[in-house]
Amino acid sequence: MKNVLITGGSGGIGSAIAEEFAQSGYNVIIHSFHNKQGANMLARRLCTEYQITALAVQADVSDRSSVNNMYDIIDTMFGSVDILVNNAGIAQQKLFTDITENDWKNMMGVNLDGTFNCTQEVLKRYMLKSHSGVILNISSMWGQVGASCEVHYSASKAAIIGLTKALAKEVGLSGIRVNCICPGVVMTDMMKGFDSLTIRELKEETPLNALGTPNDIAQAAVFLCSEKSKFITGQVLGVNGGFII
């Protein structure tokens, strides 16, 4: 049975990805930083419902020593990580001229440095030695085209796309695949700051005339990490209802 680590695994998209993997028979490691209780509750439920092994772990992905401590715990419980889903991320809306140095550092620290820290460590500890593994990065459609008033967010997500493509070329001969999903407008807690009019307008702008759900992302994630996609690497999949084409 393969082991999958999902960073930001207690959030809307992360928890859906964790459940989809559990339902598909994977052992699941659910990372969180601020929501330890939610991660623990999710892990217990997945163990009970799907008869797999699930573990909640806590770490600040922007801090390398915290990430290393997280992997030490995983070593003790599981011994290896076969699949890494880099889903942990933050967002913020601000005019570019209002973005502070701290805003910029926090955004890059979680979204980009977090992906770097978790990915480099999983490669060194497990995947390069076993000559196998899958890394899936969660970016955003705004990483593809940019979003007004979200310059730092868009920049961090665009960097993840570049990381995905470059790393896929570097580790392909080691039997490791690296892909990226760019979600569109997905109804999670991140959408709570938008009023009903804005949400309706976003729906109308989407060719499928619908907004995404966490399960839409989760099903794509499990596919890209499964043997069904064994000849797919370095790719960026937009799951956005046609919002970005």
Side-chain angles (χ1 to χ4, degrees):
M1 189 177 289
K2 291 185 176 181
N3 306 321
V4 55
L5 166 62
I6 302 141
T7 68
S10 63
I13 290 176
S15 61
I17 292 174
E19 180 142 13
E20 191 72 18
F21 271 108
Q23 191 172 12
S24 301
Y26 294 80
N27 292 326
V28 177
I29 304 152
I30 303 160
H31 157 269
S32 69
F33 183 30
H34 298 295
N35 190 17
K36 183 178 180 181
Q37 182 179 1
N40 280 320
M41 290 175 62
L42 178 61
R44 288 195 295 269
R45 182 173 67 79
L46 296 181
C47 286
T48 301
E49 290 188 15
Y50 301 108
Q51 289 76 57
I52 51 93
T53 302
L55 173 70
V57 292
Q58 189 174 23
D60 176 359
V61 294
S62 69
D63 180 75
R64 188 56 174 260
S65 63
S66 183
V67 168
N68 288 344
N69 290 337
M70 173 183 72
Y71 277 115
D72 288 343
I73 294 169
I74 293 169
D75 283 341
T76 301
M77 285 288 296
F78 292 89
S80 68
V81 172
D82 303 291
I83 298 166
L84 169 64
V85 180
N86 284 306
N87 173 69
I90 59 174
Q92 185 183 46
Q93 288 190 309
K94 267 191 173 184
L95 287 170
F96 179 71
T97 49
D98 290 337
I99 295 172
T100 66
E101 184 179 0
N102 196 51
D103 289 335
W104 182 269
K105 287 181 177 179
N106 285 341
M107 187 67 68
M108 295 299 168
V110 176
N111 292 359
L112 184 56
D113 295 350
T115 298
F116 168 77
N117 289 333
C118 293
T119 300
Q120 190 178 68
E121 197 63 24
V122 84
L123 285 169
K124 287 181 175 181
R125 290 196 186 217
Y126 315 113
M127 294 183 180
L128 291 172
K129 294 175 184 177
S130 66
H131 214 73
S132 66
V134 181
I135 296 165
L136 178 64
N137 298 320
I138 307 299
S139 178
S140 166
M141 65 179 180
W142 300 133
Q144 296 176 286
V145 299
S148 174
C149 296
E150 293 186 69
V151 171
H152 50 340
Y153 176 78
S154 300
S156 70
K157 292 299 189 178
I160 289 171
I161 293 172
L163 184 155
T164 298
K165 293 181 178 182
L167 187 59
K169 292 180 179 180
E170 186 171 323
V171 300
L173 287 177
S174 296
I176 300 163
R177 298 190 298 108
V178 188
N179 288 297
C180 181
I181 289 177
C182 288
V185 183
V186 179
M187 294 306 296
T188 65
D189 287 345
M190 280 191 176
M191 294 299 295
K192 285 183 176 179
F194 294 88
D195 58 39
S196 58
L197 177 60
T198 301
I199 291 174
R200 187 169 70 248
E201 289 173 347
L202 288 169
K203 179 180 177 182
E204 291 172 353
E205 287 180 49
T206 304
L208 289 181
N209 194 34
L211 300 181
T213 69
N215 283 340
D216 293 325
I217 310 304
Q219 289 169 15
V222 172
F223 166 73
L224 284 174
C225 294
S226 72
E227 284 298 305
K228 293 179 180 179
S229 62
K230 61 185 176 63
F231 198 53
I232 299 175
T233 194
Q235 301 306 303
V236 179
L237 176 63
V239 184
N240 60 37
F243 197 101
I244 301 296
I245 295 176

